[in-house]
DNA sequence: CTGCTTGCAAACCATTTGCAAGGTC
DNA sequence: GACCTTGCAAATGGTTTGCAAGCAG
């Protein structure tokens, strides 16, 4: 259940921010690519198609803003740049990724075991856990086949 | 059971690399700070005390080398630079961190539940999982107290 | 109109690289 | 002596910032 332009407008208003065409386009791009992990560069080249005059700085500033408004989730796959995807429902966590060490494929997964784990660790460590980020590194099915030949 | 200088010499030899004073000092620094998460900058300023002539590039190159030799573990806490700590026993995973969103404290923890989780996910997803990195974000005990006042 | 936003260019900062001099084996 | 290493300085590449012009409310 991702955010809509209307919701963004409201969120912006609450903090005396304005809804500009640039912000709207960038939000739309994240909505249209909800399954991807876009970098600032990715967003820039996508926006450029509709708004050739946009500046890279605006892309960065807008992404930062959307990140602060919790519209986006920041993530890092160790490829030298931050990547973002649109947040889904605020009740769930979304940071579980399987990363293939051979082809770089990033696949998502959900698993309730993580919630259990979080509770156990929270109790053991006296840490009040709000969020987590989990990455598994290995080989995807396809690369397993390739590499075993 | 961390690595010793002797072990490093052997590892280097196997790949026709040489044991230089700089490499030895940097290894020693990681051994002496096994409980910390040092950045290249951190290492640089520590080395500088004993070897004022060392160059930043050497620090980076040595860290990369030690990382390739699996003497160091690379990690990222989203603070703009890579951090490293010396690897312990090669039979275990070591990437579990609790990060305090208020004071930035990074605390480590171990938990066997992660191994279970890894197996379950591996089966479910057809991914051959070799390693994982898990970060929990929240508030440490101390900050919980501070913030609730 | 007010003041948040934008595009541009320059600045930043962690990290990398080219190269000639230096050191290890 | 061969060749890996080093220190230096310059280059790189993602990201940020200063600023005057531009727009949303």
């Amino acid at each position: 259940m991702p955010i809509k332009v209307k919701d963004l407008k409201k969120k912006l208003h609450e903090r005396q921010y304005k809804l500009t065409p640039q912000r709207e386009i960038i939000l739309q791009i994240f909505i249209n690519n909800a399954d991807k992990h876009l970098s600032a560069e990715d967003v820039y080249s996508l926006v450029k198609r509709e708004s050739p005059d946009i500046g890279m700085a605006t892309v960065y500033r807008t992404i930062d803003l959307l990140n602060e408004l919790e519209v986006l989730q920041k993530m890092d796959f160790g490829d030298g740049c931050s990547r973002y995807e649109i947040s889904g429902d605020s009740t769930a966590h979304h940071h579980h990724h399987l990363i293939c060490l051979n082809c770089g494929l990033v696949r998502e997964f959900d698993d309730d075991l993580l919630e259990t784990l979080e509770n156990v660790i929270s109790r053991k460590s006296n840490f009040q856990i709000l969020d987590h980020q989990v990455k598994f590194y290995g080989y995807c099915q396809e690369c397993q086949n390739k590499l075993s030949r």
Side-chain angles (χ1 to χ4, degrees), chain A:
Chain A
M1 205 63 68
I3 198 176
K4 296 198 188 69
V5 175
K6 212 167 185 177
D7 307 320
L8 176 61
K9 190 166 188 176
K10 199 175 137 212
K11 281 204 178 202
L12 290 170
H13 252 114
E14 284 168 7
R15 317 197 184 191
Q16 8 291 143
Y17 293 144
K18 296 170 182 173
L19 180 60
T20 63
Q22 291 91 330
R23 288 177 178 171
E24 201 169 329
I25 291 174
I26 291 176
L27 173 65
Q28 197 56 53
I29 280 177
F30 278 104
I31 293 174
N32 297 346
N33 293 276
D35 56 327
K36 306 232 180 65
H37 311 102
L38 302 176
S39 66
E41 201 72 44
D42 293 338
V43 175
Y44 182 58
S45 53
L46 288 169
V47 184
K48 204 103 199 186
R49 293 186 199 162
E50 309 181 40
S51 292
D53 286 344
I54 198 164
M56 191 79 228
T58 301
V59 173
Y60 274 105
R61 285 187 282 231
T62 303
I63 288 178
D64 280 355
L65 181 62
L66 294 176
N67 190 217
E68 268 159 41
L69 297 176
E70 296 185 290
V71 171
L72 296 181
Q73 293 281 331
K74 185 177 187 169
M75 46 197 63
D76 170 71
F77 298 131
D79 65 344
C81 62
S82 294
R83 295 182 169 275
Y84 304 83
E85 71 180 35
I86 198 157
S87 304
D89 201 299
S90 65
T91 57
H93 294 139
H94 313 271
H95 306 148
H96 322 149
H97 292 101
L98 297 166
I99 303 168
C100 181
L101 293 167
N102 189 56
C103 68
L105 171 77
V106 176
R107 185 170 144 189
E108 317 211 358
F109 73 90
D110 285 310
D111 198 302
D112 295 336
L113 274 177
L114 273 163
E115 309 303 322
T116 314
L117 182 58
E118 193 171 285
N119 292 333
V120 172
I121 289 168
S122 190
R123 212 172 321 118
K124 275 195 191 173
S125 64
N126 284 320
F127 232 85
Q128 178 193 356
I129 299 177
L130 299 178
D131 197 7
H132 56 232
Q133 200 173 320
V134 180
K135 291 181 272 188
F136 288 92
Y137 296 94
Y139 295 118
C140 68
Q141 179 103 62
E142 201 174 327
C143 288
Q144 285 173 53
N145 295 340
K146 262 189 223 154
L147 296 170
S148 63
R149 268 182 224 149

